[in-house]
Amino acid sequence: MQSSSTFQKKEHPQGVAENVIDFSILIVDDSTETLCSMEFVLNNFDYSVHTAQSGQEALELIEKNNYHLIFLDVRLPDIDGFAVAESIRSKIAAEEIAVIFMTFQAENREAIIKKGLQYGATDFMFKPLDIDILQLRTKIQYQRVRQIQQLKDSHHKLMELSGHLKNKSKRLSDSINYAKLIQQKILPTPVEIESRIKDCFVFYQPKHAIGGDFFMVEKMNSRQITICADCTGHGVPGALLSMLGHTIINDLLHSNRIFDPGNILTELNQKLLAVFQEDDAVKGHGMDLSVVVYRLDTHELTYASAKRPILIQQDNEVHQLKGDPYSIGDPEYANKSFQTMSFELKKAAWIYQYSDGITDQFGGSENKKYGSRKFRDFITHLEGSPLEKKEKITKELKSWVGSCDQTDDQTLLVNYLSK
């Protein structure tokens, strides 16, 4: 064995202790001198080094031990190195073990290298061996094994993290789905809506599983009461706020027997502000909504609105009713009294109450907002029975969204009033 430099004992090539791995080497050569020389050099790096002087001995050691690197002499007394390599590769993948062939310089060097590569050689070294090259070849393979181990460790950690995130996601998904069931139980079903007001229906499409819009359809004494509300936000925060608003209004109607639209909004505003008490953490959270009350005995229609327009369609004419330009829950209007207004019904009419998710939705061929004008034009020429209207509305609004993301929760409450 020859060297271009004076050999000295060196530290681990791996560096810091946490990156140290148990690197195992097998040297296969029938020359005792070669084995001793290589073993002496490699042991100075604290590698785990085994030796074998025949192919059969090497194969027996490989069966018992896990090696990262094998230095394999091409010419052995019983089995040549190519046959040993072939046996190794039949059992152990190249990424798990490196095989470096060793042979003397020969005229047919290229042929030997080609054959070695066919049998799974990682690299070649030619005798007499150079110490520096031996050290370098070993260090390269050590770094390769360490990188593979680091990748395996990272993969293991990622799999553990992935499993943790999946479990966490499932728990969150289960909670949201349960919240969805609760919200569905609170909001009236199509059957319940029809049982209360015959020609009434709703298009309800939350942005997420649960939404910040809510609607109410009630028939109390001779009154038909329809409410469409749009709470700040969507998803879980919006849903919590919507359930709070629904609970307050339900109590106002059924316990306090308040049926005047303006009074409903005024009381709702005060109670919602009392809950939050001008807390900066929830500042800006409120709701926009409209309330329509129709008396079946007198055919009187009254309404009140907090920043939500109401559309009335009579034949091919659409009227827009506006209420107060204030949101429910705005501390600036804590003492605000919402107005009750009336509309004279001269003939049968369709009433449309909706959240801004309808008109603010982006879509169409130019990815623009649907807009109030387009919505009014659409319902102006909307004809048919309640079921036919609902089908046309659903088709129109869903086709407008198309492949775009839904912008906000969407709610449209439609009620037919026969004069």
Side-chain angles (χ1 to χ4, degrees):
M1 182 176 290
Q2 63 182 13
S3 174
S4 59
S5 61
T6 303
F7 175 74
Q8 294 180 343
K9 181 177 174 70
K10 299 181 180 179
E11 300 296 328
H12 262 101
Q14 53 265 37
V16 293
E18 58 266 26
N19 289 329
V20 172
I21 62 172
D22 184 14
F23 189 66
S24 183
I25 302 172
L26 175 63
I27 307 171
V28 187
D29 198 299
D30 60 345
S31 170
T32 303
E33 181 182 354
T34 300
L35 291 179
C36 290
S37 299
M38 292 180 67
E39 187 176 9
F40 175 75
V41 172
L42 298 177
N43 274 334
N44 275 277
F45 292 96
D46 291 334
Y47 296 127
S48 176
V49 181
H50 294 175
T51 61
Q53 290 188 287
S54 69
Q56 186 59 43
E57 184 183 1
L59 292 175
E60 289 174 0
L61 286 172
I62 291 168
E63 286 288 337
K64 298 176 183 179
N65 304 285
N66 294 321
Y67 295 105
H68 300 104
L69 172 60
I70 298 177
F71 289 100
L72 181 58
D73 191 16
V74 171
R75 294 182 179 180
L76 296 171
D78 53 350
I79 310 171
D80 70 21
F82 298 122
V84 175
E86 183 178 30
S87 179
I88 293 172
R89 286 290 176 248
S90 67
K91 301 174 183 178
I92 306 173
E95 63 267 17
E96 296 181 13
I97 187 170
V99 177
I100 298 179
F101 277 116
M102 301 183 296
T103 186
F104 283 97
Q105 297 281 2
E107 293 182 1
N108 58 345
R109 177 173 174 172
E110 292 185 359
I112 292 175
I113 293 176
K114 182 177 181 181
K115 185 175 181 180
L117 292 174
Q118 291 174 345
Y119 282 92
T122 304
D123 206 341
F124 269 86
M125 291 183 65
F126 292 92
K127 299 178 181 179
L129 300 177
D130 184 290
I131 290 177
D132 290 337
I133 293 178
L134 173 62
Q135 293 173 357
L136 181 60
R137 293 280 201 277
T138 306
K139 183 176 181 180
I140 289 172
Q141 294 306 320
Y142 173 86
Q143 296 292 350
R144 179 187 69 87
V145 172
R146 188 175 68 168
Q147 288 172 358
I148 291 174
Q149 186 60 50
Q150 288 173 341
L151 287 173
K152 287 181 178 179
D153 291 343
S154 297
H155 177 72
H156 179 70
K157 290 178 181 178
L158 285 173
M159 292 302 293
E160 285 186 340
L161 179 60
S162 176
H164 175 71
L165 290 176
K166 283 181 180 179
N167 290 334
K168 192 172 183 179
S169 176
K170 185 179 185 303
R171 291 195 297 270
L172 180 60
S173 178
D174 290 343
S175 297
I176 292 176
N177 287 333
Y178 188 67
K180 179 181 179 180
L181 290 175
I182 295 174
Q183 190 173 53
Q184 289 175 340
K185 288 293 183 182
I186 294 176
L187 298 176
T189 66
V191 174
E192 291 172 333
I193 292 174
E194 188 175 1
S195 68
R196 297 170 189 175
I197 301 179
K198 183 179 179 181
D199 296 323
C200 182
F201 65 86
V202 65
F203 172 85
Y204 177 66
Q205 188 68 47
K207 176 179 172 64
H208 303 297
I210 52 179
D213 289 359
F214 71 90
F215 55 91
M216 301 178 70
V217 176
E218 299 287 348
K219 184 177 181 181
M220 307 185 72
N221 298 331
S222 60
R223 297 177 181 85
Q224 290 183 350
I225 304 171
T226 55
I227 299 171
C228 182
D230 180 359
C231 299
T232 303
H234 41 72
V236 175
L240 290 173
L241 192 56
S242 73
M243 293 302 95
L244 176 60
H246 186 284
T247 300
I248 293 174
I249 295 175
N250 189 69
D251 188 59
L252 292 174
L253 293 176
H254 294 275
S255 298
N256 298 341
R257 310 296 291 178
I258 298 176
F259 304 128
D260 180 81
N263 289 342
I264 291 173
L265 293 189
T266 300
E267 290 291 325
L268 172 62
N269 186 47
Q270 293 175 356
K271 290 182 180 297
L272 196 64
L273 286 170
V275 171
F276 295 131
Q277 296 181 348
E278 300 187 24
D279 190 338
D280 289 339
V282 290
K283 190 175 182 179
H285 286 70
M287 60 189 72
D288 301 336
L289 72 158
S290 61
V291 180
V292 174
V293 177
Y294 178 65
R295 293 198 59 134
L296 296 171
D297 51 357
T298 63
H299 302 293
E300 179 186 14
L301 186 148
T302 55
Y303 66 93
S305 172
K307 293 186 72 174
R308 291 308 309 148
I310 303 166
L311 300 181
I312 297 184
Q313 177 196 15
Q314 292 179 315
D315 295 330
N316 290 327
E317 185 179 7
V318 174
H319 305 276
Q320 178 172 284
L321 308 181
K322 293 184 178 181
D324 291 295
Y326 319 109
S327 294
I328 298 295
D330 189 339
E332 186 177 349
Y333 304 103
N335 299 317
K336 170 68 180 176
S337 293
F338 288 82
Q339 300 180 63
T340 295
M341 290 167 277
S342 61
F343 181 84
E344 184 180 357
L345 283 177
K346 296 181 179 179
K347 51 186 174 181
W350 290 91
I351 311 297
Y352 295 85
Q353 296 166 257
Y354 55 97
S355 64
D356 61 8
I358 298 291
T359 52
D360 288 349
Q361 176 60 49
F362 284 88
S365 59
E366 298 180 359
N367 194 29
K368 292 183 177 180
K369 282 188 177 182
Y370 191 67
S372 299
R373 178 176 295 180
K374 183 175 179 63
F375 181 57
R376 287 187 62 176
D377 290 343
F378 170 68
I379 66 172
T380 297
H381 303 95
L382 192 60
E383 298 179 345
S385 65
L387 179 59
E388 291 171 335
K389 280 181 177 283
K390 184 176 182 179
E391 290 176 348
K392 291 177 181 178
I393 288 170
T394 301
K395 181 179 179 181
E396 169 74 7
L397 297 180
K398 287 193 172 185
S399 64
W400 179 259
V401 175
S403 59
C404 298
D405 292 331
Q406 188 171 327
T407 307
D408 197 358
D409 300 320
Q410 296 182 341
T411 304
L412 172 60
L413 182 60
V414 184
N415 184 24
Y416 178 69
L417 304 178
S418 57
K419 177 64 175 167

